[in-house]
PDB file of all heavy atoms in Angstrom:
ATOM      1  N   PHE A   1      45.674   8.418  28.201  1.00 89.00           N
ATOM      2  CA  PHE A   1      46.950   7.918  28.725  1.00 89.00           C
ATOM      3  C   PHE A   1      47.075   8.206  30.216  1.00 89.00           C
ATOM      4  O   PHE A   1      47.562   7.368  30.986  1.00 89.00           O
ATOM      5  CB  PHE A   1      48.110   8.568  27.968  1.00 89.00           C
ATOM      6  CG  PHE A   1      49.459   8.040  28.361  1.00 89.00           C
ATOM      7  CD1 PHE A   1      49.888   6.798  27.945  1.00 89.00           C
ATOM      8  CD2 PHE A   1      50.302   8.804  29.170  1.00 89.00           C
ATOM      9  CE1 PHE A   1      51.128   6.314  28.308  1.00 89.00           C
ATOM     10  CE2 PHE A   1      51.540   8.331  29.543  1.00 89.00           C
ATOM     11  CZ  PHE A   1      51.964   7.079  29.106  1.00 89.00           C
ATOM     12  N   ALA A   2      46.622   9.405  30.638  1.00 87.00           N
ATOM     13  CA  ALA A   2      46.668   9.753  32.062  1.00 87.00           C
ATOM     14  C   ALA A   2      45.778   8.823  32.883  1.00 87.00           C
ATOM     15  O   ALA A   2      46.178   8.367  33.967  1.00 87.00           O
ATOM     16  CB  ALA A   2      46.242  11.202  32.259  1.00 87.00           C
ATOM     17  N   VAL A   3      44.593   8.526  32.358  1.00 86.00           N
ATOM     18  CA  VAL A   3      43.702   7.593  33.059  1.00 86.00           C
ATOM     19  C   VAL A   3      44.339   6.218  33.159  1.00 86.00           C
ATOM     20  O   VAL A   3      44.292   5.551  34.204  1.00 86.00           O
ATOM     21  CB  VAL A   3      42.336   7.519  32.340  1.00 86.00           C
ATOM     22  CG1 VAL A   3      41.477   6.394  32.917  1.00 86.00           C
ATOM     23  CG2 VAL A   3      41.601   8.850  32.447  1.00 86.00           C
ATOM     24  N   PHE A   4      44.950   5.780  32.058  1.00 88.00           N
ATOM     25  CA  PHE A   4      45.614   4.472  32.042  1.00 88.00           C
ATOM     26  C   PHE A   4      46.731   4.401  33.089  1.00 88.00           C
ATOM     27  O   PHE A   4      46.915   3.385  33.760  1.00 88.00           O
ATOM     28  CB  PHE A   4      46.179   4.210  30.648  1.00 88.00           C
ATOM     29  CG  PHE A   4      46.925   2.914  30.524  1.00 88.00           C
ATOM     30  CD1 PHE A   4      46.242   1.708  30.424  1.00 88.00           C
ATOM     31  CD2 PHE A   4      48.312   2.900  30.498  1.00 88.00           C
ATOM     32  CE1 PHE A   4      46.932   0.514  30.314  1.00 88.00           C
ATOM     33  CE2 PHE A   4      49.007   1.715  30.384  1.00 88.00           C
ATOM     34  CZ  PHE A   4      48.312   0.516  30.290  1.00 88.00           C
ATOM     35  N   VAL A   5      47.483   5.498  33.238  1.00 84.00           N
ATOM     36  CA  VAL A   5      48.582   5.535  34.209  1.00 84.00           C
ATOM     37  C   VAL A   5      48.055   5.609  35.638  1.00 84.00           C
ATOM     38  O   VAL A   5      48.623   5.004  36.561  1.00 84.00           O
ATOM     39  CB  VAL A   5      49.510   6.731  33.905  1.00 84.00           C
ATOM     40  CG1 VAL A   5      50.519   6.930  35.026  1.00 84.00           C
ATOM     41  CG2 VAL A   5      50.235   6.514  32.582  1.00 84.00           C
ATOM     42  N   LEU A   6      46.960   6.341  35.840  1.00 86.00           N
ATOM     43  CA  LEU A   6      46.455   6.577  37.194  1.00 86.00           C
ATOM     44  C   LEU A   6      45.621   5.426  37.746  1.00 86.00           C
ATOM     45  O   LEU A   6      45.437   5.340  38.963  1.00 86.00           O
ATOM     46  CB  LEU A   6      45.625   7.858  37.221  1.00 86.00           C
ATOM     47  CG  LEU A   6      46.401   9.170  37.064  1.00 86.00           C
ATOM     48  CD1 LEU A   6      45.436  10.344  36.979  1.00 86.00           C
ATOM     49  CD2 LEU A   6      47.373   9.363  38.220  1.00 86.00           C
ATOM     50  N   ILE A   7      45.121   4.542  36.892  1.00 86.00           N
ATOM     51  CA  ILE A   7      44.285   3.437  37.377  1.00 86.00           C
ATOM     52  C   ILE A   7      44.994   2.592  38.440  1.00 86.00           C
ATOM     53  O   ILE A   7      44.414   2.307  39.497  1.00 86.00           O
ATOM     54  CB  ILE A   7      43.798   2.569  36.198  1.00 86.00           C
ATOM     55  CG1 ILE A   7      42.657   3.276  35.465  1.00 86.00           C
ATOM     56  CG2 ILE A   7      43.317   1.199  36.680  1.00 86.00           C
ATOM     57  CD1 ILE A   7      42.166   2.532  34.239  1.00 86.00           C
ATOM     58  N   PRO A   8      46.259   2.165  38.231  1.00 85.00           N
ATOM     59  CA  PRO A   8      46.925   1.391  39.295  1.00 85.00           C
ATOM     60  C   PRO A   8      47.099   2.179  40.597  1.00 85.00           C
ATOM     61  O   PRO A   8      47.031   1.604  41.682  1.00 85.00           O
ATOM     62  CB  PRO A   8      48.289   1.037  38.678  1.00 85.00           C
ATOM     63  CG  PRO A   8      48.094   1.165  37.215  1.00 85.00           C
ATOM     64  CD  PRO A   8      47.107   2.253  37.029  1.00 85.00           C
ATOM     65  N   VAL A   9      47.325   3.500  40.479  1.00 85.00           N
ATOM     66  CA  VAL A   9      47.496   4.326  41.678  1.00 85.00           C
ATOM     67  C   VAL A   9      46.186   4.415  42.448  1.00 85.00           C
ATOM     68  O   VAL A   9      46.156   4.276  43.682  1.00 85.00           O
ATOM     69  CB  VAL A   9      47.997   5.737  41.289  1.00 85.00           C
ATOM     70  CG1 VAL A   9      48.153   6.602  42.524  1.00 85.00           C
ATOM     71  CG2 VAL A   9      49.310   5.656  40.528  1.00 85.00           C
ATOM     72  N   VAL A  10      45.084   4.637  41.723  1.00 86.00           N
ATOM     73  CA  VAL A  10      43.775   4.690  42.371  1.00 86.00           C
ATOM     74  C   VAL A  10      43.441   3.351  43.013  1.00 86.00           C
ATOM     75  O   VAL A  10      42.916   3.283  44.133  1.00 86.00           O
ATOM     76  CB  VAL A  10      42.690   5.086  41.353  1.00 86.00           C
ATOM     77  CG1 VAL A  10      41.307   5.024  41.978  1.00 86.00           C
ATOM     78  CG2 VAL A  10      42.963   6.491  40.817  1.00 86.00           C
ATOM     79  N   PHE A  11      43.767   2.268  42.310  1.00 84.00           N
ATOM     80  CA  PHE A  11      43.532   0.930  42.863  1.00 84.00           C
ATOM     81  C   PHE A  11      44.307   0.732  44.167  1.00 84.00           C
ATOM     82  O   PHE A  11      43.772   0.201  45.148  1.00 84.00           O
ATOM     83  CB  PHE A  11      43.939  -0.137  41.846  1.00 84.00           C
ATOM     84  CG  PHE A  11      43.919  -1.535  42.395  1.00 84.00           C
ATOM     85  CD1 PHE A  11      42.730  -2.239  42.485  1.00 84.00           C
ATOM     86  CD2 PHE A  11      45.081  -2.141  42.843  1.00 84.00           C
ATOM     87  CE1 PHE A  11      42.703  -3.524  43.002  1.00 84.00           C
ATOM     88  CE2 PHE A  11      45.068  -3.424  43.361  1.00 84.00           C
ATOM     89  CZ  PHE A  11      43.872  -4.121  43.439  1.00 84.00           C
ATOM     90  N   MET A  12      45.569   1.172  44.184  1.00 85.00           N
ATOM     91  CA  MET A  12      46.393   1.016  45.382  1.00 85.00           C
ATOM     92  C   MET A  12      45.779   1.754  46.569  1.00 85.00           C
ATOM     93  O   MET A  12      45.664   1.194  47.675  1.00 85.00           O
ATOM     94  CB  MET A  12      47.812   1.535  45.112  1.00 85.00           C
ATOM     95  CG  MET A  12      48.739   1.467  46.319  1.00 85.00           C
ATOM     96  SD  MET A  12      50.379   2.145  45.960  1.00 85.00           S
ATOM     97  CE  MET A  12      49.990   3.899  45.778  1.00 85.00           C
ATOM     98  N   PHE A  13      45.359   3.012  46.356  1.00 86.00           N
ATOM     99  CA  PHE A  13      44.817   3.802  47.459  1.00 86.00           C
ATOM    100  C   PHE A  13      43.464   3.262  47.930  1.00 86.00           C
ATOM    101  O   PHE A  13      43.208   3.204  49.133  1.00 86.00           O
ATOM    102  CB  PHE A  13      44.684   5.268  47.039  1.00 86.00           C
ATOM    103  CG  PHE A  13      45.959   6.050  47.144  1.00 86.00           C
ATOM    104  CD1 PHE A  13      46.777   6.226  46.040  1.00 86.00           C
ATOM    105  CD2 PHE A  13      46.348   6.609  48.348  1.00 86.00           C
ATOM    106  CE1 PHE A  13      47.964   6.936  46.136  1.00 86.00           C
ATOM    107  CE2 PHE A  13      47.534   7.322  48.459  1.00 86.00           C
ATOM    108  CZ  PHE A  13      48.339   7.489  47.346  1.00 86.00           C
ATOM    109  N   THR A  14      42.603   2.880  47.001  1.00 86.00           N
ATOM    110  CA  THR A  14      41.287   2.375  47.413  1.00 86.00           C
ATOM    111  C   THR A  14      41.403   0.998  48.062  1.00 86.00           C
ATOM    112  O   THR A  14      40.719   0.714  49.050  1.00 86.00           O
ATOM    113  CB  THR A  14      40.338   2.310  46.210  1.00 86.00           C
ATOM    114  OG1 THR A  14      40.922   1.502  45.176  1.00 86.00           O
ATOM    115  CG2 THR A  14      40.056   3.704  45.676  1.00 86.00           C
ATOM    116  N   ALA A  15      42.279   0.155  47.520  1.00 84.00           N
ATOM    117  CA  ALA A  15      42.429  -1.192  48.082  1.00 84.00           C
ATOM    118  C   ALA A  15      43.026  -1.154  49.480  1.00 84.00           C
ATOM    119  O   ALA A  15      42.770  -2.051  50.296  1.00 84.00           O
ATOM    120  CB  ALA A  15      43.301  -2.049  47.165  1.00 84.00           C
ATOM    121  N   SER A  16      43.809  -0.135  49.773  1.00 84.00           N
ATOM    122  CA  SER A  16      44.407  -0.036  51.109  1.00 84.00           C
ATOM    123  C   SER A  16      43.361   0.214  52.189  1.00 84.00           C
ATOM    124  O   SER A  16      43.641   0.044  53.378  1.00 84.00           O
ATOM    125  CB  SER A  16      45.451   1.080  51.137  1.00 84.00           C
ATOM    126  OG  SER A  16      44.834   2.360  50.984  1.00 84.00           O
ATOM    127  N   LEU A  17      42.157   0.599  51.773  1.00 83.00           N
ATOM    128  CA  LEU A  17      41.081   0.896  52.727  1.00 83.00           C
ATOM    129  C   LEU A  17      39.979  -0.161  52.715  1.00 83.00           C
ATOM    130  O   LEU A  17      38.910   0.052  53.268  1.00 83.00           O
ATOM    131  CB  LEU A  17      40.474   2.266  52.419  1.00 83.00           C
ATOM    132  CG  LEU A  17      41.425   3.463  52.560  1.00 83.00           C
ATOM    133  CD1 LEU A  17      40.778   4.722  52.014  1.00 83.00           C
ATOM    134  CD2 LEU A  17      41.832   3.666  54.011  1.00 83.00           C
ATOM    135  N   MET A  18      40.261  -1.293  52.067  1.00 82.00           N
ATOM    136  CA  MET A  18      39.257  -2.347  51.959  1.00 82.00           C
ATOM    137  C   MET A  18      39.723  -3.626  52.650  1.00 82.00           C
ATOM    138  O   MET A  18      40.937  -3.893  52.735  1.00 82.00           O
ATOM    139  CB  MET A  18      38.984  -2.678  50.489  1.00 82.00           C
ATOM    140  CG  MET A  18      38.385  -1.577  49.668  1.00 82.00           C
ATOM    141  SD  MET A  18      38.091  -2.148  47.975  1.00 82.00           S
ATOM    142  CE  MET A  18      37.550  -0.633  47.207  1.00 82.00           C
ATOM    143  N   PRO A  19      38.776  -4.458  53.098  1.00 82.00           N
ATOM    144  CA  PRO A  19      39.142  -5.806  53.534  1.00 82.00           C
ATOM    145  C   PRO A  19      39.514  -6.662  52.331  1.00 82.00           C
ATOM    146  O   PRO A  19      39.144  -6.352  51.194  1.00 82.00           O
ATOM    147  CB  PRO A  19      37.873  -6.319  54.220  1.00 82.00           C
ATOM    148  CG  PRO A  19      36.774  -5.521  53.630  1.00 82.00           C
ATOM    149  CD  PRO A  19      37.351  -4.178  53.303  1.00 82.00           C
ATOM    150  N   ALA A  20      40.228  -7.751  52.572  1.00 76.00           N
ATOM    151  CA  ALA A  20      40.727  -8.576  51.479  1.00 76.00           C
ATOM    152  C   ALA A  20      39.616  -9.126  50.609  1.00 76.00           C
ATOM    153  O   ALA A  20      39.766  -9.237  49.387  1.00 76.00           O
ATOM    154  CB  ALA A  20      41.570  -9.721  52.049  1.00 76.00           C
ATOM    155  N   ARG A  21      38.469  -9.458  51.202  1.00 78.00           N
ATOM    156  CA  ARG A  21      37.383 -10.053  50.422  1.00 78.00           C
ATOM    157  C   ARG A  21      36.835  -9.072  49.381  1.00 78.00           C
ATOM    158  O   ARG A  21      36.400  -9.468  48.293  1.00 78.00           O
ATOM    159  CB  ARG A  21      36.264 -10.533  51.349  1.00 78.00           C
ATOM    160  CG  ARG A  21      35.574  -9.436  52.137  1.00 78.00           C
ATOM    161  CD  ARG A  21      34.452  -9.971  53.010  1.00 78.00           C
ATOM    162  NE  ARG A  21      33.778  -8.906  53.737  1.00 78.00           N
ATOM    163  CZ  ARG A  21      34.195  -8.438  54.906  1.00 78.00           C
ATOM    164  NH1 ARG A  21      35.281  -8.953  55.483  1.00 78.00           N
ATOM    165  NH2 ARG A  21      33.526  -7.465  55.512  1.00 78.00           N
ATOM    166  N   ASP A  22      36.831  -7.770  49.699  1.00 77.00           N
ATOM    167  CA  ASP A  22      36.353  -6.771  48.741  1.00 77.00           C
ATOM    168  C   ASP A  22      37.364  -6.555  47.616  1.00 77.00           C
ATOM    169  O   ASP A  22      36.985  -6.305  46.467  1.00 77.00           O
ATOM    170  CB  ASP A  22      36.077  -5.447  49.441  1.00 77.00           C
ATOM    171  CG  ASP A  22      34.856  -5.514  50.343  1.00 77.00           C
ATOM    172  OD1 ASP A  22      34.112  -6.511  50.262  1.00 77.00           O
ATOM    173  OD2 ASP A  22      34.650  -4.587  51.157  1.00 77.00           O
ATOM    174  N   ILE A  23      38.639  -6.622  47.955  1.00 76.00           N
ATOM    175  CA  ILE A  23      39.680  -6.404  46.942  1.00 76.00           C
ATOM    176  C   ILE A  23      39.624  -7.488  45.870  1.00 76.00           C
ATOM    177  O   ILE A  23      39.807  -7.227  44.681  1.00 76.00           O
ATOM    178  CB  ILE A  23      41.070  -6.366  47.600  1.00 76.00           C
ATOM    179  CG1 ILE A  23      41.157  -5.195  48.583  1.00 76.00           C
ATOM    180  CG2 ILE A  23      42.176  -6.253  46.557  1.00 76.00           C
ATOM    181  CD1 ILE A  23      42.437  -5.182  49.390  1.00 76.00           C
ATOM    182  N   MET A  24      39.352  -8.710  46.288  1.00 77.00           N
ATOM    183  CA  MET A  24      39.354  -9.838  45.361  1.00 77.00           C
ATOM    184  C   MET A  24      38.012 -10.053  44.672  1.00 77.00           C
ATOM    185  O   MET A  24      37.873 -10.964  43.860  1.00 77.00           O
ATOM    186  CB  MET A  24      39.754 -11.119  46.110  1.00 77.00           C
ATOM    187  CG  MET A  24      41.073 -11.033  46.837  1.00 77.00           C
ATOM    188  SD  MET A  24      42.452 -10.569  45.753  1.00 77.00           S
ATOM    189  CE  MET A  24      42.524 -11.986  44.652  1.00 77.00           C
ATOM    190  N   SER A  25      37.019  -9.234  45.000  1.00 76.00           N
ATOM    191  CA  SER A  25      35.697  -9.424  44.405  1.00 76.00           C
ATOM    192  C   SER A  25      35.656  -8.895  42.974  1.00 76.00           C
ATOM    193  O   SER A  25      36.416  -7.995  42.600  1.00 76.00           O
ATOM    194  CB  SER A  25      34.632  -8.711  45.245  1.00 76.00           C
ATOM    195  OG  SER A  25      34.884  -7.311  45.278  1.00 76.00           O
ATOM    196  N   ILE A  26      34.788  -9.488  42.151  1.00 77.00           N
ATOM    197  CA  ILE A  26      34.605  -9.093  40.759  1.00 77.00           C
ATOM    198  C   ILE A  26      33.123  -8.785  40.533  1.00 77.00           C
ATOM    199  O   ILE A  26      32.276  -9.645  40.829  1.00 77.00           O
ATOM    200  CB  ILE A  26      35.075 -10.207  39.806  1.00 77.00           C
ATOM    201  CG1 ILE A  26      36.580 -10.481  40.010  1.00 77.00           C
ATOM    202  CG2 ILE A  26      34.827  -9.810  38.359  1.00 77.00           C
ATOM    203  CD1 ILE A  26      37.089 -11.642  39.191  1.00 77.00           C
ATOM    204  N   PRO A  27      32.784  -7.586  40.016  1.00 81.00           N
ATOM    205  CA  PRO A  27      33.680  -6.481  39.645  1.00 81.00           C
ATOM    206  C   PRO A  27      34.266  -5.784  40.871  1.00 81.00           C
ATOM    207  O   PRO A  27      33.695  -5.848  41.958  1.00 81.00           O
ATOM    208  CB  PRO A  27      32.763  -5.545  38.861  1.00 81.00           C
ATOM    209  CG  PRO A  27      31.408  -5.798  39.431  1.00 81.00           C
ATOM    210  CD  PRO A  27      31.365  -7.261  39.758  1.00 81.00           C
ATOM    211  N   TYR A  28      35.387  -5.121  40.637  1.00 75.00           N
ATOM    212  CA  TYR A  28      36.081  -4.464  41.741  1.00 75.00           C
ATOM    213  C   TYR A  28      35.310  -3.225  42.198  1.00 75.00           C
ATOM    214  O   TYR A  28      34.979  -2.353  41.386  1.00 75.00           O
ATOM    215  CB  TYR A  28      37.488  -4.074  41.310  1.00 75.00           C
ATOM    216  CG  TYR A  28      38.260  -3.316  42.360  1.00 75.00           C
ATOM    217  CD1 TYR A  28      38.775  -3.957  43.479  1.00 75.00           C
ATOM    218  CD2 TYR A  28      38.483  -1.942  42.215  1.00 75.00           C
ATOM    219  CE1 TYR A  28      39.480  -3.253  44.439  1.00 75.00           C
ATOM    220  CE2 TYR A  28      39.193  -1.240  43.171  1.00 75.00           C
ATOM    221  CZ  TYR A  28      39.688  -1.901  44.280  1.00 75.00           C
ATOM    222  OH  TYR A  28      40.382  -1.211  45.232  1.00 75.00           O
ATOM    223  N   PRO A  29      35.010  -3.093  43.492  1.00 80.00           N
ATOM    224  CA  PRO A  29      34.314  -1.891  44.002  1.00 80.00           C
ATOM    225  C   PRO A  29      35.306  -0.743  44.199  1.00 80.00           C
ATOM    226  O   PRO A  29      36.083  -0.725  45.162  1.00 80.00           O
ATOM    227  CB  PRO A  29      33.750  -2.372  45.342  1.00 80.00           C
ATOM    228  CG  PRO A  29      34.681  -3.439  45.788  1.00 80.00           C
ATOM    229  CD  PRO A  29      35.212  -4.114  44.544  1.00 80.00           C
ATOM    230  N   TRP A  30      35.280   0.213  43.291  1.00 81.00           N
ATOM    231  CA  TRP A  30      36.284   1.278  43.340  1.00 81.00           C
ATOM    232  C   TRP A  30      36.097   2.205  44.540  1.00 81.00           C
ATOM    233  O   TRP A  30      37.026   2.900  44.944  1.00 81.00           O
ATOM    234  CB  TRP A  30      36.235   2.085  42.046  1.00 81.00           C
ATOM    235  CG  TRP A  30      36.766   1.301  40.883  1.00 81.00           C
ATOM    236  CD1 TRP A  30      36.051   0.585  39.975  1.00 81.00           C
ATOM    237  CD2 TRP A  30      38.144   1.138  40.525  1.00 81.00           C
ATOM    238  NE1 TRP A  30      36.881  -0.019  39.067  1.00 81.00           N
ATOM    239  CE2 TRP A  30      38.177   0.310  39.380  1.00 81.00           C
ATOM    240  CE3 TRP A  30      39.338   1.604  41.055  1.00 81.00           C
ATOM    241  CZ2 TRP A  30      39.356  -0.057  38.759  1.00 81.00           C
ATOM    242  CZ3 TRP A  30      40.521   1.241  40.445  1.00 81.00           C
ATOM    243  CH2 TRP A  30      40.531   0.426  39.309  1.00 81.00           C
ATOM    244  N   ILE A  31      34.913   2.239  45.126  1.00 81.00           N
ATOM    245  CA  ILE A  31      34.667   3.053  46.320  1.00 81.00           C
ATOM    246  C   ILE A  31      34.515   2.109  47.515  1.00 81.00           C
ATOM    247  O   ILE A  31      33.633   1.237  47.509  1.00 81.00           O
ATOM    248  CB  ILE A  31      33.400   3.914  46.168  1.00 81.00           C
ATOM    249  CG1 ILE A  31      33.556   4.853  44.971  1.00 81.00           C
ATOM    250  CG2 ILE A  31      33.129   4.706  47.443  1.00 81.00           C
ATOM    251  CD1 ILE A  31      32.325   5.678  44.684  1.00 81.00           C
ATOM    252  N   PRO A  32      35.384   2.222  48.539  1.00 80.00           N
ATOM    253  CA  PRO A  32      35.290   1.317  49.698  1.00 80.00           C
ATOM    254  C   PRO A  32      33.938   1.442  50.400  1.00 80.00           C
ATOM    255  O   PRO A  32      33.430   2.544  50.613  1.00 80.00           O
ATOM    256  CB  PRO A  32      36.430   1.790  50.606  1.00 80.00           C
ATOM    257  CG  PRO A  32      37.354   2.546  49.714  1.00 80.00           C
ATOM    258  CD  PRO A  32      36.499   3.164  48.648  1.00 80.00           C
ATOM    259  N   ARG A  33      33.354   0.286  50.719  1.00 79.00           N
ATOM    260  CA  ARG A  33      32.084   0.295  51.451  1.00 79.00           C
ATOM    261  C   ARG A  33      32.292   0.785  52.878  1.00 79.00           C
ATOM    262  O   ARG A  33      31.484   1.528  53.421  1.00 79.00           O
ATOM    263  CB  ARG A  33      31.485  -1.115  51.447  1.00 79.00           C
ATOM    264  CG  ARG A  33      31.148  -1.642  50.054  1.00 79.00           C
ATOM    265  CD  ARG A  33      30.470  -3.008  50.139  1.00 79.00           C
ATOM    266  NE  ARG A  33      30.163  -3.514  48.795  1.00 79.00           N
ATOM    267  CZ  ARG A  33      30.970  -4.309  48.114  1.00 79.00           C
ATOM    268  NH1 ARG A  33      32.129  -4.686  48.638  1.00 79.00           N
ATOM    269  NH2 ARG A  33      30.624  -4.732  46.910  1.00 79.00           N
ATOM    270  N   THR A  34      33.376   0.328  53.496  1.00 78.00           N
ATOM    271  CA  THR A  34      33.775   0.778  54.838  1.00 78.00           C
ATOM    272  C   THR A  34      35.271   1.037  54.828  1.00 78.00           C
ATOM    273  O   THR A  34      36.014   0.395  54.076  1.00 78.00           O
ATOM    274  CB  THR A  34      33.451  -0.276  55.908  1.00 78.00           C
ATOM    275  OG1 THR A  34      34.115  -1.504  55.578  1.00 78.00           O
ATOM    276  CG2 THR A  34      31.944  -0.513  56.012  1.00 78.00           C
ATOM    277  N   LEU A  35      35.713   1.959  55.650  1.00 81.00           N
ATOM    278  CA  LEU A  35      37.138   2.279  55.722  1.00 81.00           C
ATOM    279  C   LEU A  35      37.831   1.289  56.647  1.00 81.00           C
ATOM    280  O   LEU A  35      37.656   1.313  57.861  1.00 81.00           O
ATOM    281  CB  LEU A  35      37.339   3.711  56.206  1.00 81.00           C
ATOM    282  CG  LEU A  35      36.743   4.806  55.306  1.00 81.00           C
ATOM    283  CD1 LEU A  35      37.043   6.179  55.881  1.00 81.00           C
ATOM    284  CD2 LEU A  35      37.264   4.686  53.883  1.00 81.00           C
ATOM    285  N   HIS A  36      38.652   0.422  56.048  1.00 80.00           N
ATOM    286  CA  HIS A  36      39.339  -0.635  56.804  1.00 80.00           C
ATOM    287  C   HIS A  36      40.715  -0.103  57.244  1.00 80.00           C
ATOM    288  O   HIS A  36      41.763  -0.499  56.712  1.00 80.00           O
ATOM    289  CB  HIS A  36      39.491  -1.870  55.917  1.00 80.00           C
ATOM    290  CG  HIS A  36      39.471  -3.165  56.666  1.00 80.00           C
ATOM    291  ND1 HIS A  36      38.383  -3.615  57.389  1.00 80.00           N
ATOM    292  CD2 HIS A  36      40.427  -4.111  56.813  1.00 80.00           C
ATOM    293  CE1 HIS A  36      38.661  -4.782  57.931  1.00 80.00           C
ATOM    294  NE2 HIS A  36      39.895  -5.097  57.604  1.00 80.00           N
ATOM    295  N   ILE A  37      40.714   0.806  58.216  1.00 84.00           N
ATOM    296  CA  ILE A  37      41.941   1.487  58.639  1.00 84.00           C
ATOM    297  C   ILE A  37      42.954   0.515  59.239  1.00 84.00           C
ATOM    298  O   ILE A  37      44.172   0.761  59.206  1.00 84.00           O
ATOM    299  CB  ILE A  37      41.610   2.600  59.652  1.00 84.00           C
ATOM    300  CG1 ILE A  37      40.595   3.576  59.060  1.00 84.00           C
ATOM    301  CG2 ILE A  37      42.871   3.358  60.068  1.00 84.00           C
ATOM    302  CD1 ILE A  37      41.086   4.297  57.842  1.00 84.00           C
ATOM    303  N   GLN A  38      42.514  -0.615  59.762  1.00 86.00           N
ATOM    304  CA  GLN A  38      43.438  -1.551  60.403  1.00 86.00           C
ATOM    305  C   GLN A  38      44.463  -2.133  59.429  1.00 86.00           C
ATOM    306  O   GLN A  38      45.460  -2.717  59.855  1.00 86.00           O
ATOM    307  CB  GLN A  38      42.693  -2.679  61.107  1.00 86.00           C
ATOM    308  CG  GLN A  38      41.683  -3.419  60.261  1.00 86.00           C
ATOM    309  CD  GLN A  38      40.283  -2.859  60.424  1.00 86.00           C
ATOM    310  OE1 GLN A  38      40.097  -1.633  60.471  1.00 86.00           O
ATOM    311  NE2 GLN A  38      39.310  -3.740  60.546  1.00 86.00           N
ATOM    312  N   ASN A  39      44.220  -1.965  58.125  1.00 85.00           N
ATOM    313  CA  ASN A  39      45.228  -2.392  57.152  1.00 85.00           C
ATOM    314  C   ASN A  39      46.549  -1.661  57.365  1.00 85.00           C
ATOM    315  O   ASN A  39      47.629  -2.242  57.261  1.00 85.00           O
ATOM    316  CB  ASN A  39      44.733  -2.131  55.726  1.00 85.00           C
ATOM    317  CG  ASN A  39      43.652  -3.100  55.305  1.00 85.00           C
ATOM    318  OD1 ASN A  39      43.527  -4.189  55.868  1.00 85.00           O
ATOM    319  ND2 ASN A  39      42.849  -2.711  54.321  1.00 85.00           N
TER     320      ASN A  39
END
């Protein structure tokens, strides 16, 4: 249950450091390849 609850939070934090093309890719890369700080 904790993992189920935390998945959206982890997605939010990791996606904030990715370019849009990586966020929309399938499968989703949970570890950012590069830190996209300009977001």
Side-chain angles (χ1 to χ4, degrees):
F1 184 75
V3 171
F4 178 77
V5 171
L6 289 175
I7 283 177
V9 179
V10 175
F11 172 81
M12 178 182 69
F13 278 96
T14 56
S16 67
L17 297 171
M18 296 181 185
R21 64 179 181 274
D22 290 349
I23 298 173
M24 305 304 295
S25 62
I26 299 175
Y28 177 74
W30 289 96
I31 300 176
R33 298 184 181 93
T34 58
L35 298 181
H36 211 63
I37 304 298
Q38 52 265 42
N39 287 338

